[in-house]
Amino acid sequence: MSRVFSGIQPSGELHLGNYLGAIKNWVRLQGEYESFFCIVDYHAIITAYAPDDLRRRRRDMAVSLVAAGIDPARATLFVQSRVPEHTELAWIFNTVTPLGELERQTQFKDKASRQESVSAGLLNYPVLQAADILLYLAEHVPVGEDQVQHLELSRVVARRWNAAFATEEAPYFPEPKALLTPTRRVMGLDGQAKMSKSMGNTVGLLEEPDAIWAKLRPAVTDPARIRKTDPGTPEVCNIYHLHKAFSPPAVVDEVAVKCSTAAWGCIDCKKVLFEHMNAELTPIRRRAAEIRETPALLDDALARGAARAQEVARGTMAEVKTRMGLD
Ligand code: SF4
């Protein structure tokens, strides 16, 4: 069984954007690959933060992941800082990573251009990401389109390290391949930008139905549908794409027809979406409440995940150090 690695920031409870854009896919992958899923708290400290808040966000993320269907008995679920080999390998990789490659990373250029001063951590973030993946000799990484460039850097790092300390015929680190996440990026309910906490346009995975409806009701739809009698174009409407994520195919077809023929209004359409969202989200909310009632079980699962991850990580580091004369 080949191996996948993927990480997620400890950003607190999941929202529909990261649930549909990544985690639903992880749940599927855990049955098909040997899966390592990591809450990447070392990545989260490159900008200012409050330690207690980080602890809370990390915990909330772990609760959300398990509630959403990540099964610690099938996948190795762990917190990055519990496996110090991540930063050890990142240092080693820093020594083979060309500076120019890091400076060319779009996310770095974008953030650096908006800040007066940036930390070296921001520049080296993709090196730690390469270490995260390669520590487990992962062959595949589920990524969204915006992460493909970082993955390319992991491939460059693997190639350069292999060129120095392995042979072309028998490379040590695999060059990880992207498994593109099938769901296209999820827009916020404002219809303006990708759903993200920083944009304040999210719907929390664990939010109560009343709160979800309060956001869904006024959500932006096809601007051409000014009156109920105006036919719409489902493809340009975010609500239609959410139907594709939550509603059965027959309902999605019905939405497309009723929208384009003005057979119903947007509120009718949203009510049907809300019903299907609730059918999927209610069991997740229930599981999250159960997990919070038995915190020791989650602690144990994360400790087991970290132990399993560290077992693999130590094996990789032993080999790396031997090959590099660091043993
Ligand atoms: S009917 Fe549905 S798909 Fe069409 S514009 Fe309204 S909300 Fe969007």
Side-chain angles (χ1 to χ4, degrees), residues 192-227:
Q192 302 297 311
K194 182 177 161 179
M195 189 180 284
S196 80
K197 285 213 168 124
S198 60
M199 298 301 294
N201 62 2
T202 58
V203 176
L205 188 67
L206 307 179
E207 273 190 65
E208 290 298 327
D210 288 354
I212 295 181
W213 180 246
K215 290 179 178 179
L216 198 55
R217 198 171 202 287
V220 170
T221 63
D222 175 1
R225 291 209 74 188
I226 298 163
R227 285 174 299 269

mmCIF file of all heavy atoms in Angstrom, residues 192-227:
data_model
loop_
_atom_site.group_PDB
_atom_site.id
_atom_site.type_symbol
_atom_site.label_atom_id
_atom_site.label_comp_id
_atom_site.label_asym_id
_atom_site.label_seq_id
_atom_site.Cartn_x
_atom_site.Cartn_y
_atom_site.Cartn_z
ATOM 1 N N GLN A 192 -17.371 36.194 -2.987
ATOM 2 C CA GLN A 192 -16.285 37.074 -3.428
ATOM 3 C C GLN A 192 -14.925 36.374 -3.469
ATOM 4 O O GLN A 192 -14.102 36.655 -4.314
ATOM 5 C CB GLN A 192 -16.134 38.276 -2.458
ATOM 6 C CG GLN A 192 -17.381 39.116 -2.313
ATOM 7 C CD GLN A 192 -17.782 39.775 -3.621
ATOM 8 O OE1 GLN A 192 -16.958 40.380 -4.280
ATOM 9 N NE2 GLN A 192 -19.031 39.619 -4.003
ATOM 10 N N ALA A 193 -14.672 35.519 -2.505
ATOM 11 C CA ALA A 193 -13.333 34.943 -2.370
ATOM 12 C C ALA A 193 -13.443 33.528 -1.828
ATOM 13 O O ALA A 193 -14.499 33.117 -1.340
ATOM 14 C CB ALA A 193 -12.513 35.800 -1.404
ATOM 15 N N LYS A 194 -12.339 32.814 -1.921
ATOM 16 C CA LYS A 194 -12.248 31.465 -1.371
ATOM 17 C C LYS A 194 -12.686 31.497 0.104
ATOM 18 O O LYS A 194 -12.354 32.456 0.819
ATOM 19 C CB LYS A 194 -10.782 31.022 -1.489
ATOM 20 C CG LYS A 194 -10.490 29.629 -1.018
ATOM 21 C CD LYS A 194 -9.026 29.308 -1.258
ATOM 22 C CE LYS A 194 -8.597 28.146 -0.402
ATOM 23 N NZ LYS A 194 -7.210 27.760 -0.582
ATOM 24 N N MET A 195 -13.400 30.464 0.542
ATOM 25 C CA MET A 195 -13.817 30.434 1.939
ATOM 26 C C MET A 195 -12.590 30.282 2.837
ATOM 27 O O MET A 195 -11.830 29.331 2.694
ATOM 28 C CB MET A 195 -14.785 29.266 2.175
ATOM 29 C CG MET A 195 -15.432 29.309 3.543
ATOM 30 S SD MET A 195 -16.591 27.947 3.867
ATOM 31 C CE MET A 195 -18.029 28.438 2.931
ATOM 32 N N SER A 196 -12.379 31.259 3.696
ATOM 33 C CA SER A 196 -11.251 31.143 4.620
ATOM 34 C C SER A 196 -11.500 32.007 5.848
ATOM 35 O O SER A 196 -12.219 33.006 5.776
ATOM 36 C CB SER A 196 -9.938 31.547 3.943
ATOM 37 O OG SER A 196 -9.815 32.943 3.919
ATOM 38 N N LYS A 197 -10.894 31.566 6.960
ATOM 39 C CA LYS A 197 -11.114 32.300 8.216
ATOM 40 C C LYS A 197 -10.648 33.740 8.091
ATOM 41 O O LYS A 197 -11.269 34.652 8.615
ATOM 42 C CB LYS A 197 -10.383 31.592 9.360
ATOM 43 C CG LYS A 197 -11.112 30.327 9.771
ATOM 44 C CD LYS A 197 -11.005 30.019 11.251
ATOM 45 C CE LYS A 197 -12.009 28.928 11.610
ATOM 46 N NZ LYS A 197 -11.446 27.767 12.233
ATOM 47 N N SER A 198 -9.529 33.940 7.358
ATOM 48 C CA SER A 198 -8.995 35.306 7.269
ATOM 49 C C SER A 198 -9.952 36.228 6.513
ATOM 50 O O SER A 198 -9.947 37.430 6.714
ATOM 51 C CB SER A 198 -7.615 35.297 6.610
ATOM 52 O OG SER A 198 -7.725 34.767 5.312
ATOM 53 N N MET A 199 -10.814 35.649 5.662
ATOM 54 C CA MET A 199 -11.782 36.484 4.929
ATOM 55 C C MET A 199 -13.090 36.647 5.716
ATOM 56 O O MET A 199 -13.963 37.406 5.316
ATOM 57 C CB MET A 199 -12.110 35.865 3.560
ATOM 58 C CG MET A 199 -10.933 35.735 2.615
ATOM 59 S SD MET A 199 -10.155 37.309 2.236
ATOM 60 C CE MET A 199 -11.467 38.131 1.334
ATOM 61 N N GLY A 200 -13.229 35.910 6.813
ATOM 62 C CA GLY A 200 -14.444 36.030 7.635
ATOM 63 C C GLY A 200 -15.705 35.596 6.887
ATOM 64 O O GLY A 200 -16.795 36.123 7.145
ATOM 65 N N ASN A 201 -15.569 34.669 5.960
ATOM 66 C CA ASN A 201 -16.735 34.276 5.144
ATOM 67 C C ASN A 201 -17.015 32.774 5.257
ATOM 68 O O ASN A 201 -17.500 32.151 4.322
ATOM 69 C CB ASN A 201 -16.501 34.671 3.677
ATOM 70 C CG ASN A 201 -15.291 33.954 3.090
ATOM 71 O OD1 ASN A 201 -14.655 33.145 3.753
ATOM 72 N ND2 ASN A 201 -14.987 34.233 1.837
ATOM 73 N N THR A 202 -16.689 32.196 6.401
ATOM 74 C CA THR A 202 -16.783 30.732 6.538
ATOM 75 C C THR A 202 -18.122 30.294 7.150
ATOM 76 O O THR A 202 -18.811 31.071 7.804
ATOM 77 C CB THR A 202 -15.662 30.197 7.459
ATOM 78 O OG1 THR A 202 -15.775 30.847 8.719
ATOM 79 C CG2 THR A 202 -14.294 30.448 6.878
ATOM 80 N N VAL A 203 -18.409 29.013 6.958
ATOM 81 C CA VAL A 203 -19.470 28.341 7.708
ATOM 82 C C VAL A 203 -18.768 27.222 8.467
ATOM 83 O O VAL A 203 -18.123 26.370 7.843
ATOM 84 C CB VAL A 203 -20.526 27.736 6.759
ATOM 85 C CG1 VAL A 203 -21.575 26.963 7.558
ATOM 86 C CG2 VAL A 203 -21.181 28.814 5.916
ATOM 87 N N GLY A 204 -18.860 27.241 9.778
ATOM 88 C CA GLY A 204 -18.175 26.231 10.581
ATOM 89 C C GLY A 204 -18.829 24.873 10.410
ATOM 90 O O GLY A 204 -20.064 24.775 10.328
ATOM 91 N N LEU A 205 -17.987 23.843 10.364
ATOM 92 C CA LEU A 205 -18.507 22.486 10.197
ATOM 93 C C LEU A 205 -19.409 22.098 11.377
ATOM 94 O O LEU A 205 -20.319 21.304 11.227
ATOM 95 C CB LEU A 205 -17.315 21.514 10.103
ATOM 96 C CG LEU A 205 -17.621 20.076 9.748
ATOM 97 C CD1 LEU A 205 -18.129 19.987 8.315
ATOM 98 C CD2 LEU A 205 -16.389 19.196 9.905
ATOM 99 N N LEU A 206 -19.099 22.654 12.551
ATOM 100 C CA LEU A 206 -19.838 22.246 13.746
ATOM 101 C C LEU A 206 -20.876 23.289 14.165
ATOM 102 O O LEU A 206 -21.438 23.202 15.250
ATOM 103 C CB LEU A 206 -18.850 21.987 14.900
ATOM 104 C CG LEU A 206 -17.708 21.004 14.587
ATOM 105 C CD1 LEU A 206 -16.786 20.845 15.795
ATOM 106 C CD2 LEU A 206 -18.256 19.638 14.163
ATOM 107 N N GLU A 207 -21.119 24.253 13.319
ATOM 108 C CA GLU A 207 -22.108 25.283 13.679
ATOM 109 C C GLU A 207 -23.507 24.682 13.771
ATOM 110 O O GLU A 207 -23.847 23.748 13.043
ATOM 111 C CB GLU A 207 -22.113 26.406 12.630
ATOM 112 C CG GLU A 207 -21.075 27.470 12.924
ATOM 113 C CD GLU A 207 -21.243 28.699 12.029
ATOM 114 O OE1 GLU A 207 -22.266 29.380 12.128
ATOM 115 O OE2 GLU A 207 -20.326 28.958 11.232
ATOM 116 N N GLU A 208 -24.320 25.273 14.650
ATOM 117 C CA GLU A 208 -25.704 24.812 14.821
ATOM 118 C C GLU A 208 -26.518 25.175 13.570
ATOM 119 O O GLU A 208 -26.227 26.179 12.908
ATOM 120 C CB GLU A 208 -26.319 25.481 16.059
ATOM 121 C CG GLU A 208 -25.738 25.002 17.388
ATOM 122 C CD GLU A 208 -25.964 23.507 17.630
ATOM 123 O OE1 GLU A 208 -27.004 22.984 17.186
ATOM 124 O OE2 GLU A 208 -25.084 22.868 18.238
ATOM 125 N N PRO A 209 -27.565 24.380 13.268
ATOM 126 C CA PRO A 209 -28.361 24.629 12.062
ATOM 127 C C PRO A 209 -28.884 26.064 11.950
ATOM 128 O O PRO A 209 -28.839 26.650 10.875
ATOM 129 C CB PRO A 209 -29.514 23.627 12.198
ATOM 130 C CG PRO A 209 -28.954 22.528 13.030
ATOM 131 C CD PRO A 209 -27.968 23.142 13.963
ATOM 132 N N ASP A 210 -29.344 26.639 13.069
ATOM 133 C CA ASP A 210 -29.889 28.017 12.991
ATOM 134 C C ASP A 210 -28.819 28.991 12.509
ATOM 135 O O ASP A 210 -29.093 29.893 11.707
ATOM 136 C CB ASP A 210 -30.356 28.491 14.377
ATOM 137 C CG ASP A 210 -31.632 27.778 14.783
ATOM 138 O OD1 ASP A 210 -32.168 27.032 13.946
ATOM 139 O OD2 ASP A 210 -32.067 27.983 15.934
ATOM 140 N N ALA A 211 -27.612 28.803 13.011
ATOM 141 C CA ALA A 211 -26.517 29.708 12.634
ATOM 142 C C ALA A 211 -26.156 29.503 11.157
ATOM 143 O O ALA A 211 -25.862 30.463 10.434
ATOM 144 C CB ALA A 211 -25.293 29.442 13.518
ATOM 145 N N ILE A 212 -26.204 28.253 10.697
ATOM 146 C CA ILE A 212 -25.892 27.985 9.284
ATOM 147 C C ILE A 212 -26.952 28.637 8.391
ATOM 148 O O ILE A 212 -26.626 29.310 7.415
ATOM 149 C CB ILE A 212 -25.787 26.465 9.024
ATOM 150 C CG1 ILE A 212 -24.592 25.883 9.791
ATOM 151 C CG2 ILE A 212 -25.667 26.177 7.517
ATOM 152 C CD1 ILE A 212 -24.360 24.404 9.599
ATOM 153 N N TRP A 213 -28.225 28.473 8.769
ATOM 154 C CA TRP A 213 -29.285 29.055 7.937
ATOM 155 C C TRP A 213 -29.179 30.592 7.912
ATOM 156 O O TRP A 213 -29.405 31.229 6.876
ATOM 157 C CB TRP A 213 -30.661 28.588 8.419
ATOM 158 C CG TRP A 213 -31.764 29.170 7.587
ATOM 159 C CD1 TRP A 213 -32.717 30.055 7.999
ATOM 160 C CD2 TRP A 213 -32.025 28.946 6.193
ATOM 161 N NE1 TRP A 213 -33.541 30.389 6.963
ATOM 162 C CE2 TRP A 213 -33.142 29.719 5.833
ATOM 163 C CE3 TRP A 213 -31.406 28.164 5.206
ATOM 164 C CZ2 TRP A 213 -33.662 29.757 4.536
ATOM 165 C CZ3 TRP A 213 -31.922 28.198 3.914
ATOM 166 C CH2 TRP A 213 -33.033 28.982 3.588
ATOM 167 N N ALA A 214 -28.794 31.160 9.038
ATOM 168 C CA ALA A 214 -28.664 32.630 9.096
ATOM 169 C C ALA A 214 -27.601 33.118 8.103
ATOM 170 O O ALA A 214 -27.681 34.240 7.610
ATOM 171 C CB ALA A 214 -28.306 33.068 10.513
ATOM 172 N N LYS A 215 -26.622 32.267 7.797
ATOM 173 C CA LYS A 215 -25.592 32.651 6.816
ATOM 174 C C LYS A 215 -26.017 32.280 5.397
ATOM 175 O O LYS A 215 -25.696 32.978 4.442
ATOM 176 C CB LYS A 215 -24.272 31.941 7.140
ATOM 177 C CG LYS A 215 -23.612 32.454 8.416
ATOM 178 C CD LYS A 215 -22.327 31.698 8.689
ATOM 179 C CE LYS A 215 -21.646 32.233 9.929
ATOM 180 N NZ LYS A 215 -20.420 31.512 10.238
ATOM 181 N N LEU A 216 -26.722 31.153 5.301
ATOM 182 C CA LEU A 216 -27.093 30.650 3.974
ATOM 183 C C LEU A 216 -28.192 31.511 3.333
ATOM 184 O O LEU A 216 -28.154 31.792 2.128
ATOM 185 C CB LEU A 216 -27.585 29.204 4.141
ATOM 186 C CG LEU A 216 -27.648 28.318 2.909
ATOM 187 C CD1 LEU A 216 -26.310 28.250 2.198
ATOM 188 C CD2 LEU A 216 -28.108 26.902 3.314
ATOM 189 N N ARG A 217 -29.142 31.921 4.147
ATOM 190 C CA ARG A 217 -30.316 32.657 3.627
ATOM 191 C C ARG A 217 -29.899 33.873 2.796
ATOM 192 O O ARG A 217 -30.345 34.026 1.662
ATOM 193 C CB ARG A 217 -31.182 33.063 4.814
ATOM 194 C CG ARG A 217 -32.572 33.429 4.456
ATOM 195 C CD ARG A 217 -33.430 33.616 5.711
ATOM 196 N NE ARG A 217 -34.835 33.470 5.387
ATOM 197 C CZ ARG A 217 -35.532 34.356 4.725
ATOM 198 N NH1 ARG A 217 -34.965 35.486 4.331
ATOM 199 N NH2 ARG A 217 -36.803 34.144 4.445
ATOM 200 N N PRO A 218 -29.007 34.748 3.323
ATOM 201 C CA PRO A 218 -28.651 35.937 2.528
ATOM 202 C C PRO A 218 -27.468 35.705 1.564
ATOM 203 O O PRO A 218 -26.972 36.663 0.968
ATOM 204 C CB PRO A 218 -28.250 36.947 3.611
ATOM 205 C CG PRO A 218 -27.742 36.118 4.748
ATOM 206 C CD PRO A 218 -28.393 34.784 4.673
ATOM 207 N N ALA A 219 -27.013 34.445 1.425
ATOM 208 C CA ALA A 219 -25.797 34.195 0.620
ATOM 209 C C ALA A 219 -25.991 34.631 -0.833
ATOM 210 O O ALA A 219 -27.090 34.529 -1.391
ATOM 211 C CB ALA A 219 -25.441 32.705 0.665
ATOM 212 N N VAL A 220 -24.893 35.084 -1.427
ATOM 213 C CA VAL A 220 -24.907 35.578 -2.804
ATOM 214 C C VAL A 220 -25.237 34.445 -3.779
ATOM 215 O O VAL A 220 -24.743 33.319 -3.635
ATOM 216 C CB VAL A 220 -23.513 36.187 -3.133
ATOM 217 C CG1 VAL A 220 -23.386 36.504 -4.616
ATOM 218 C CG2 VAL A 220 -23.293 37.446 -2.306
ATOM 219 N N THR A 221 -26.094 34.744 -4.767
ATOM 220 C CA THR A 221 -26.442 33.752 -5.806
ATOM 221 C C THR A 221 -26.109 34.358 -7.174
ATOM 222 O O THR A 221 -25.355 35.326 -7.238
ATOM 223 C CB THR A 221 -27.938 33.373 -5.717
ATOM 224 O OG1 THR A 221 -28.713 34.543 -5.988
ATOM 225 C CG2 THR A 221 -28.293 32.813 -4.345
ATOM 226 N N ASP A 222 -26.690 33.805 -8.226
ATOM 227 C CA ASP A 222 -26.454 34.365 -9.564
ATOM 228 C C ASP A 222 -27.025 35.795 -9.613
ATOM 229 O O ASP A 222 -28.242 35.974 -9.456
ATOM 230 C CB ASP A 222 -27.151 33.455 -10.596
ATOM 231 C CG ASP A 222 -27.058 34.018 -12.009
ATOM 232 O OD1 ASP A 222 -26.443 35.080 -12.191
ATOM 233 O OD2 ASP A 222 -27.607 33.365 -12.923
ATOM 234 N N PRO A 223 -26.174 36.794 -9.836
ATOM 235 C CA PRO A 223 -26.677 38.186 -9.804
ATOM 236 C C PRO A 223 -27.712 38.477 -10.888
ATOM 237 O O PRO A 223 -28.468 39.449 -10.771
ATOM 238 C CB PRO A 223 -25.409 39.029 -10.012
ATOM 239 C CG PRO A 223 -24.347 38.094 -10.455
ATOM 240 C CD PRO A 223 -24.742 36.706 -10.081
ATOM 241 N N ALA A 224 -27.806 37.597 -11.908
ATOM 242 C CA ALA A 224 -28.791 37.822 -12.973
ATOM 243 C C ALA A 224 -30.218 37.518 -12.499
ATOM 244 O O ALA A 224 -31.188 37.924 -13.121
ATOM 245 C CB ALA A 224 -28.454 36.959 -14.190
ATOM 246 N N ARG A 225 -30.339 36.799 -11.384
ATOM 247 C CA ARG A 225 -31.686 36.466 -10.883
ATOM 248 C C ARG A 225 -32.176 37.558 -9.935
ATOM 249 O O ARG A 225 -32.176 37.393 -8.714
ATOM 250 C CB ARG A 225 -31.673 35.113 -10.163
ATOM 251 C CG ARG A 225 -31.450 33.938 -11.084
ATOM 252 C CD ARG A 225 -32.106 32.677 -10.550
ATOM 253 N NE ARG A 225 -33.552 32.712 -10.716
ATOM 254 C CZ ARG A 225 -34.383 31.812 -10.195
ATOM 255 N NH1 ARG A 225 -33.910 30.830 -9.460
ATOM 256 N NH2 ARG A 225 -35.676 31.900 -10.396
ATOM 257 N N ILE A 226 -32.602 38.658 -10.513
ATOM 258 C CA ILE A 226 -33.075 39.771 -9.677
ATOM 259 C C ILE A 226 -34.499 39.479 -9.196
ATOM 260 O O ILE A 226 -34.809 39.638 -8.023
ATOM 261 C CB ILE A 226 -33.016 41.102 -10.470
ATOM 262 C CG1 ILE A 226 -31.558 41.381 -10.845
ATOM 263 C CG2 ILE A 226 -33.586 42.264 -9.655
ATOM 264 C CD1 ILE A 226 -31.367 42.401 -11.938
ATOM 265 N N ARG A 227 -35.331 39.008 -10.117
ATOM 266 C CA ARG A 227 -36.700 38.609 -9.748
ATOM 267 C C ARG A 227 -36.791 37.091 -9.836
ATOM 268 O O ARG A 227 -36.016 36.453 -10.542
ATOM 269 C CB ARG A 227 -37.712 39.247 -10.705
ATOM 270 C CG ARG A 227 -37.934 40.740 -10.463
ATOM 271 C CD ARG A 227 -38.831 41.304 -11.556
ATOM 272 N NE ARG A 227 -38.201 41.137 -12.863
ATOM 273 C CZ ARG A 227 -37.406 42.059 -13.424
ATOM 274 N NH1 ARG A 227 -37.173 43.203 -12.811
ATOM 275 N NH2 ARG A 227 -36.835 41.838 -14.591
#
